[in-house]
Amino acid sequence: MSSDEHQNAALVAAADAARAAKRLVVKVGSAILCGEAGAVREAWLASLAEDIVSLRKSGCEIVVVTSGAIALGRRKLGLRGALRLDEKQAASAAGQAALAQAWQAAFAPHDIPIAQILLTLDDTESRRRYLNARATFRTLLDLGALPLVNENDTIATSEIRYGDNDRLAAHAAQLVESDLLIILSDIDGLYTADPRQNPSAEHIAVVDAVTAEIEKMAGGVNKDAGVGSGGMASKVAAAKIAGGAGCDTIIAPGLGDHPLKAVLDGEAATLFRASVTHDGARRQWIAGRLKPAGRVVIDGGAVKALQSGASLLPAGVREVAGAFSRGDAIEIVDVNGQVIGQGLSAYDAGDARKVAGAKSDRIEALLGYKRRPALVEKDDLILRSE
Ligand code: GLU
């Protein structure tokens, strides 16, 4: 293969990954959304909305992580120069409403509801919040909404650093079990050195592993950036986090119109391949949930259902043992005591006992409140034979 052919094949790799994605997180930074002037680039946003709509039509679920609250809010509040933490927090509170409005306006012509989710990194780390947030994302996607994520800057207790949203996007990708994260940037991906300083820097189309050498190429965070750019370092850090969760990352140029279509069309970008498979990451996560805190005995019908890829519904549960909480790992056994698998319980043990054996449409009457039907969602389940 000539080096041109090699380069072309590599570029197609990013386009292929984008085309194959079933669930995608798109990260939009302040500099791309707001430009130097600190006002939303509406025509550009409309073009991105069209790209998102057409990807959704092809069967891809999409979550957006957007910065821009501070950039928009500082203008609204007349704040200038370097901001203190409390001023940044005030600016983000003022700007977040404007930010959501801009996205809402871009998707209104397509009749797509926008759903704002403000996360703190902690939400992806504490298990119960994690499960709640994940269930909310899932419900929003099922309902056809576009989840719009930003960091909850107003209550963040540590310094708000530009570039945090790259990491936040990686955590969001992990949370929604996305198979691809696309970070729209002001540059077309990773170079062997900073191309603005070193004209002989070469573009890298595919990164198979984020090694120390790759991290070095990304350099440090560009602290001088005006509107907000975490630089390449935070993007590579995000690719590493996402990759550990089985999610590929593409760093693609975002300033031009129709930036997602451009990726699909094979324009220059960098694809970071995930270091583990999606399924491997999920298994690791479930397997890492300490020792099972309880067990459920299920009937033969439920065993068959699980083996054919379904969730565990309360109807097939014969017995519930142990004192587990929602989110704990439980062992699933058949009536002969044979272990079928392990999964994360969506119910506390007490509630699980109340609904055991019942049809899902009785859950509300039995518990006094409405719940998603499954006791263990299929995504939270690993079967012994797998
Ligand atoms: N969350 C911040 C905002 O909306 C931006 C952080 C970042 O750009 O990484 O302004």
Side-chain angles (χ1 to χ4, degrees):
M1 233 193 241
S2 75
S3 90
D4 269 5
E5 276 167 346
H6 190 81
Q7 182 71 0
N8 285 342
L11 290 180
V12 172
D16 283 350
R19 213 163 282 128
K22 288 273 154 274
R23 200 173 289 156
L24 166 65
V25 173
V26 181
K27 190 263 171 177
V28 177
S30 311
I32 303 236
L33 184 71
C34 306
E36 292 297 325
V40 172
R41 296 166 63 222
E42 284 167 10
W44 174 85
L45 186 55
S47 82
L48 174 65
E50 281 171 17
D51 288 359
I52 289 177
V53 169
S54 86
L55 275 166
R56 281 173 43 129
K57 282 196 184 128
S58 71
C60 181
E61 292 180 322
I62 300 187
V63 169
V64 168
V65 175
T66 180
S67 309
I70 297 175
L72 296 174
R74 65 186 296 151
R75 192 162 169 242
K76 273 174 74 176
L77 298 179
L79 291 165
R80 277 175 225 298
L83 303 185
R84 296 189 311 258
L85 176 60
D86 56 319
E87 288 172 331
K88 282 187 195 166
Q89 294 185 300
S92 86
Q96 184 60 37
L99 182 61
Q101 243 166 35
W103 284 88
Q104 196 144 329
F107 281 87
H110 306 287
D111 236 354
I112 294 178
I114 297 298
Q116 172 179 283
I117 301 186
L118 297 180
L119 290 176
T120 58
L121 279 179
D122 194 41
D123 292 330
T124 61
E125 270 138 36
S126 126
R127 192 160 29 121
R128 288 175 146 249
R129 283 171 160 211
Y130 177 98
L131 288 180
N132 265 339
R134 201 183 57 163
T136 305
F137 272 109
R138 204 175 275 162
T139 303
L140 286 169
L141 291 171
D142 289 349
L143 293 171
L146 181 76
L148 191 73
V149 180
N150 195 359
E151 181 157 15
N152 195 347
D153 293 326
T154 308
I155 60 158
T157 48
S158 56
E159 189 55 69
I160 302 163
R161 276 181 296 113
Y162 287 122
D164 285 354
N165 271 16
D166 293 324
R167 285 183 185 78
L168 184 73
H171 286 294
Q174 184 176 27
L175 189 60
V176 301
E177 287 159 28
S178 168
D179 32 36
L180 181 64
L181 164 65
I182 297 185
I183 299 181
L184 296 177
S185 171
D186 56 359
I187 187 166
D188 56 2
L190 182 68
Y191 282 75
T192 49
D194 184 345
R196 285 170 274 218
Q197 280 159 28
N198 187 342
S200 62
E202 279 173 39
H203 181 259
I204 300 175
V206 178
V207 173
D208 284 312
V210 180
T211 57
E213 193 193 355
I214 293 288
E215 283 170 333
K216 208 168 139 222
M217 287 174 190
V221 177
N222 179 4
K223 295 205 183 58
D224 303 329
V227 188
S229 151
M232 200 40 77
S234 69
K235 293 177 176 52
V236 169
K240 195 171 176 180
I241 297 168
C247 175
D248 293 335
T249 297
I250 293 175
I251 299 177
L255 280 167
D257 283 355
H258 294 290
L260 297 181
K261 183 174 178 297
V263 173
L264 292 168
D265 289 347
E267 276 194 21
T270 300
L271 168 68
F272 293 77
R273 288 194 213 276
S275 49
V276 292
T277 65
H278 215 253
D279 220 38
R282 182 173 64 91
R283 284 157 157 284
Q284 235 173 36
W285 194 73
I286 297 172
R289 301 293 99 193
L290 306 168
K291 279 192 5 212
R295 64 161 33 188
V296 290
V297 180
I298 64 171
D299 64 24
V303 172
K304 282 215 185 78
L306 296 194
Q307 281 162 350
S308 67
S311 299
L312 176 61
L313 299 177
V317 176
R318 290 273 184 89
E319 237 179 271
V320 176
F324 52 88
S325 301
R326 177 162 182 253
D328 283 342
I330 53 173
E331 202 168 48
I332 300 164
V333 301
D334 69 10
V335 287
N336 302 317
Q338 175 110 12
V339 178
I340 304 298
Q342 180 166 329
L344 304 182
S345 177
Y347 290 74
D348 294 333
D351 283 353
R353 276 190 195 99
K354 286 188 201 151
V355 298
K359 291 244 179 300
S360 296
D361 59 8
R362 298 255 309 125
I363 293 176
E364 191 176 353
L366 290 168
L367 297 182
Y369 57 88
K370 225 169 155 174
R371 255 296 160 78
R372 286 178 79 91
L375 179 63
V376 180
E377 297 274 354
K378 57 178 188 294
D379 288 346
D380 295 340
L381 190 68
I382 41 178
L383 298 182
R384 254 296 150 81
S385 53
E386 271 184 348

